[in-house]
């Protein structure tokens, strides 16, 4: 690989320049450094970043806030609930209506439509156990609270806690599923039963791991120092990756195995959900989070130590969060068009055009100064598209 | 004999200079300014990008000055003109010792880790360290 620099720090370096890299990465870098240069546009100081995009797939991450997380009976009950329209107010809308497996568990619409049209694009449901915040505004800090939200949202399934609990108690099939998953009959406390329903839904959704991609094969080849296998990764994708890590600065937010830092940023998109009504984005999300009974600091967290509530307890509400939306994963984008929180980009080419021709006046004045118009050449656009295409899973997704 | 006294004095001086942060054990990062010293150590180490980390901190005052009861910890990205998305909590753990939780470098790049406190006269004191998260 080309020699852009000799420093290979993979974590934090001090101002004195002292480097404290990960020993395993140093070994990989050393291996590649002695090999002949790859016919690659990548630099050897890109290697730690490339390796940090994996390995894939990771194991299911634990969630102690739900006592049924990872339990097969809860997973099976959650799948049953996910396809159950009786949970909605009108008995006709299941979670699966908007989260369609063939579309990466999204719906193909700019904005989701349940009982009414929503403000935001329906998010895909893969790799959810890796996330810190849920929803475009991060209004929930755990997957079961995020699963309860659409059940109760008037524009989505429009149910009440009582409706959800009664539906489970009154349906022999759902009652049986509840008993198997939770080891007892659904009780008379509607809120408790509804939260348990959400915990079962979360247990199932957490199993939706996206499959390996051509990029993962390339990443692992780099990790092994296998030049022959790495060379099979298309040159256009390698150029796109180099741009992603370099001039494009995409890596600043899209990092790690999910290609997301899990946080929120202002992309300079229009702030209005509809004429005259602003979507506050992350600012509103933090306010909802802090007011919620279902956050990780609340009474429904099954973990008495609150061991996963660090983010919730420390999140800062600042004016700059207005208009910020979640950095999404870049895996399986082929299935989940349209893009952005408002579904305003129909294709990935339109997404790249947005970054290429960015309207800086739309960025909040007190926000970060990270984004600048990339002014991509046609070739660069094609290379980035080739790289993003390599993040799609290889086999067809099971229905 | 005079040489022995000098050696003992130098040893004592070196011991004093090293004293700040000794209670935290090895592997601390030193900071100093205007007679004040800080030693800090992160957990986990190396500090990961996009994940929370904690700090154990020792603050040492110049001779004759009192230690503060509270300490503020923050971090910013000067080039991006923003700080962290989280407000760290800092708990006193004994004389001059503190434990900070809830920090996160949510982006790679240059961060400035900042420690602030008030001295006995009420003046704000500040020590900072530039770090590059990758």
């Amino acid at each position: 690989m080309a020699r852009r620099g000799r420093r290979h720090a993979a974590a934090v370096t001090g101002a004195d320049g002292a480097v404290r890299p990960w020993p395993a990465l140093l070994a990989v870098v050393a291996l590649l450094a002695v090999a002949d240069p790859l016919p690659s546009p990548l630099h050897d100081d890109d290697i730690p970043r490339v390796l940090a995009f994996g390995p894939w797939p990771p194991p299911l991450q634990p969630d102690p806030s739900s006592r049924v997380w990872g339990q097969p009976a809860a997973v099976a009950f959650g799948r049953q609930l996910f396809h159950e329209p009786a949970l909605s107010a009108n008995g006709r809308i299941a979670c699966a209506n908007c989260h369609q497996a063939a579309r990466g568990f999204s719906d193909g619409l700019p904005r989701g439509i349940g009982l009414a049209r929503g403000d935001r694009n329906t998010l895909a449901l893969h790799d959810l156990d890796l996330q810190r915040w849920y929803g475009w505004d991060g209004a929930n800090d755990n997957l079961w609270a995020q699963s309860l939200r659409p059940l109760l949202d008037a524009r989505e399934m429009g149910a009440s806690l009582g409706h959800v609990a009664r539906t489970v108690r009154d349906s022999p099939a759902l009652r049986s599923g509840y008993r198997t998953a939770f080891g007892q009959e659904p009780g008379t406390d509607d809120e408790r039963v509804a939260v348990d329903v959400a915990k079962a839904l979360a247990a199932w959704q957490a199993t939706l791991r996206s499959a390996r991609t051509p990029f993962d094969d390339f990443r692992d080849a780099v990790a092994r120092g296998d030049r022959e296998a790495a060379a099979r990764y298309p040159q256009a994708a390698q150029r796109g990756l180099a741009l992603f890590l370099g001039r494009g600065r995409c890596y600043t937010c899209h990092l790690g195995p999910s290609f997301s830092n899990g946080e929120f940023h202002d992309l300079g998109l229009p702030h209005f959900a509809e004429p005259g009504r602003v979507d506050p984005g992350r600012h509103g999300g933090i306010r909802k989070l802090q007011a919620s009974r279902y956050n990780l600091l609340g009474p429904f967290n099954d973990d008495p130590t609150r061991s996963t509530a660090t983010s919730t307890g420390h999140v800062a509400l600042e004016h700059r969060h207005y208009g910020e939306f979640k950095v999404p994963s870049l895996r399986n984008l082929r299935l989940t068009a349209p893009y952005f929180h408002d579904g305003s980009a129909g294709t990935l080419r339109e997404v790249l055009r947005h970054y290429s021709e960015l309207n800086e006046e739309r960025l909040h004045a007190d926000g970060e100064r990270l984004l600048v118009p990339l002014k991509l050449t046609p070739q660069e656009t094609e290379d980035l598209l080739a790289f993003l295409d390599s993040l799609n899973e290889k086999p067809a997704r099971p229905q | 004999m005079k040489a022995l006294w000098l050696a003992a004095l130098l040893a004592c001086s070196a011991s004093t200079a090293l004293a700040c942060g000794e209670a935290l054990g090895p592997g601390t990062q030193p900071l100093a300014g205007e007679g004040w010293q800080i030693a800090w150590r992160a957990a986990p180490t190396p500090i990961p990008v996009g994940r929370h980390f904690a700090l154990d901190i020792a603050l040492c005052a110049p001779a004759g000055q009192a230690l503060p009861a509270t300490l503020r910890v923050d971090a910013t990205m000067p080039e991006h003109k923003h700080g962290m998305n989280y407000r760290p909590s800092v708990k006193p753990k004994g004389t001059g010792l503190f434990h900070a939780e809830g920090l996160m470098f949510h982006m790679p790049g240059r961060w400035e880790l900042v420690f602030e406190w008030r001295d006995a006269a009420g003046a704000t004191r500040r020590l900072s360290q530039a770090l590059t998260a990758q």
Side-chain angles (χ1 to χ4, degrees):
Chain A
M1 292 192 178
R3 302 294 193 270
R4 188 168 59 192
R6 299 299 301 169
R7 293 175 56 179
H8 305 296
V12 168
T13 60
D16 58 355
V19 181
R20 290 170 290 281
W22 295 335
L25 296 188
L26 264 188
V28 170
V29 169
L31 180 65
L32 289 174
V34 298
D36 293 337
L38 284 171
S40 168
L42 293 169
H43 300 271
D44 54 0
D45 53 1
D46 290 329
I47 292 173
R49 294 174 175 181
V50 171
L51 297 184
F53 288 131
W56 196 265
L60 176 69
Q61 302 301 300
D63 182 357
S65 74
S66 167
R67 64 195 185 283
V68 297
W69 187 266
Q71 295 186 5
V75 171
F77 184 40
R79 189 179 193 284
Q80 180 183 8
L81 290 162
F82 192 82
H83 296 87
E84 179 53 72
L87 291 171
S88 65
N90 68 1
R92 294 201 297 268
I93 302 174
C95 306
N97 283 38
C98 295
H99 296 287
Q100 302 161 18
R103 297 181 183 273
F105 292 93
S106 59
D107 57 10
L109 302 171
R111 302 185 189 195
I113 299 176
L115 290 172
R117 184 172 180 263
D119 289 341
R120 297 175 184 156
N121 181 250
T122 300
L123 279 163
L125 296 184
H126 53 74
D127 310 323
L128 295 173
D129 59 319
L130 305 179
Q131 299 188 15
R132 179 185 308 120
W133 302 110
Y134 295 88
W136 282 107
D137 60 3
N140 287 300
D141 58 4
N142 67 81
L143 186 50
W144 47 269
Q146 179 67 8
S147 302
L148 185 60
R149 187 199 59 74
L151 290 169
L152 306 181
D153 190 308
R155 291 186 292 179
E156 298 190 41
M157 296 170 75
S160 62
L161 295 171
H163 175 86
V164 171
R166 280 193 302 276
T167 301
V168 172
R169 282 193 292 261
D170 294 347
S171 159
L174 295 180
R175 191 180 184 95
S176 172
Y178 183 99
R179 187 188 315 115
T180 306
F182 291 95
Q184 61 186 35
E185 297 290 334
T188 57
D189 183 336
D190 289 348
E191 188 177 35
R192 181 66 60 181
V193 172
V195 170
D196 283 348
V197 162
K199 286 178 177 174
L201 282 165
W204 180 65
Q205 293 169 85
T207 66
L208 302 174
R209 175 71 76 238
S210 62
R212 282 177 61 82
T213 69
F215 171 81
D216 295 319
D217 290 347
F218 171 72
R219 181 261 173 209
D220 290 356
V222 172
R224 295 192 306 272
D226 184 341
R227 296 179 60 250
E228 188 177 337
R232 286 197 286 270
Y233 189 54
Q235 279 291 301
Q238 293 196 37
R239 289 193 300 270
L241 172 58
L243 184 55
F244 187 90
L245 297 172
R247 185 174 80 80
R249 302 173 76 186
C250 318
Y251 169 80
T252 306
C253 300
H254 292 284
L255 52 84
S258 288
F259 290 86
S260 169
N261 65 357
E263 294 293 318
F264 304 82
H265 298 277
D266 177 9
L267 301 184
L269 293 164
H271 299 152
F272 292 96
E274 62 186 10
R277 185 165 61 85
V278 169
D279 185 337
R282 180 56 172 159
H283 193 276
I286 294 175
R287 293 172 69 95
K288 288 178 185 172
L289 168 84
Q290 293 176 333
S292 173
R293 280 172 55 76
Y294 310 115
N295 70 34
L296 292 175
L297 299 173
F300 294 95
N301 184 343
D302 293 333
D303 173 15
T305 69
R306 304 293 190 261
S307 62
T308 55
T310 301
S311 296
T312 314
H314 291 89
V315 69
L317 178 64
E318 297 182 10
H319 186 265
R320 68 183 168 89
H321 295 311
Y322 270 105
E324 289 184 349
F325 292 90
K326 189 174 179 179
V327 177
S329 167
L330 299 183
R331 290 182 178 271
N332 276 343
L333 291 177
R334 180 191 292 156
L335 299 174
T336 59
Y339 307 102
F340 291 141
H341 74 277
D342 56 0
S344 58
T347 64
L348 288 175
R349 194 176 296 277
E350 289 178 36
V351 171
L352 296 182
R353 187 181 304 131
H354 170 81
Y355 287 109
S356 186
E357 302 169 1
L358 188 74
N359 182 349
E360 291 180 273
E361 292 183 2
R362 279 189 175 152
L363 294 170
H364 286 152
D366 60 343
E368 60 198 7
R369 281 291 171 264
L370 175 65
L371 294 176
V372 293
L374 290 178
K375 302 187 185 307
L376 297 169
T377 67
Q379 182 63 57
E380 288 175 326
T381 297
E382 296 306 318
D383 291 343
L384 276 171
L385 288 171
F387 167 63
L388 293 172
D389 190 55
S390 78
L391 302 180
N392 289 303
E393 59 188 32
K394 291 180 286 185
R397 185 168 202 106
Q399 299 296 303
Chain B
M1 189 65 184
K2 193 174 178 181
L4 277 179
W5 275 110
L6 183 59
L9 188 64
L10 286 172
C12 182
S13 171
S15 170
T16 303
L18 292 172
C20 190
E22 271 188 352
L24 302 181
T28 58
Q29 299 284 316
L31 283 172
E34 297 181 348
W36 293 84
Q37 295 179 71
I38 277 182
W40 63 270
R41 185 176 57 221
T45 297
I47 297 172
V49 176
R51 285 175 50 203
H52 285 294
F53 64 94
L55 295 177
D56 285 310
I57 306 152
L59 174 62
C60 304
Q65 292 208 35
L67 283 164
T70 60
L71 175 73
R72 196 176 76 84
V73 179
D74 203 353
T76 62
M77 290 192 92
E79 283 84 4
H80 295 183
K81 298 181 180 176
H82 67 65
M84 294 186 293
N85 287 336
Y86 301 90
R87 192 164 293 125
S89 56
V90 184
K91 291 181 181 172
K93 306 295 280 186
T95 308
L97 299 177
F98 300 89
H99 181 73
E101 289 191 339
L103 295 98
M104 183 192 292
F105 294 160
H106 62 276
M107 290 175 161
R110 196 172 79 82
W111 287 84
E112 186 178 16
L113 185 60
V114 178
F115 302 91
E116 265 188 11
W117 65 95
R118 288 186 183 277
D119 64 18
T124 298
R125 300 282 182 171
R126 186 177 193 270
L127 284 172
S128 66
Q129 181 159 357
L131 300 165
T132 301
Q134 300 194 38

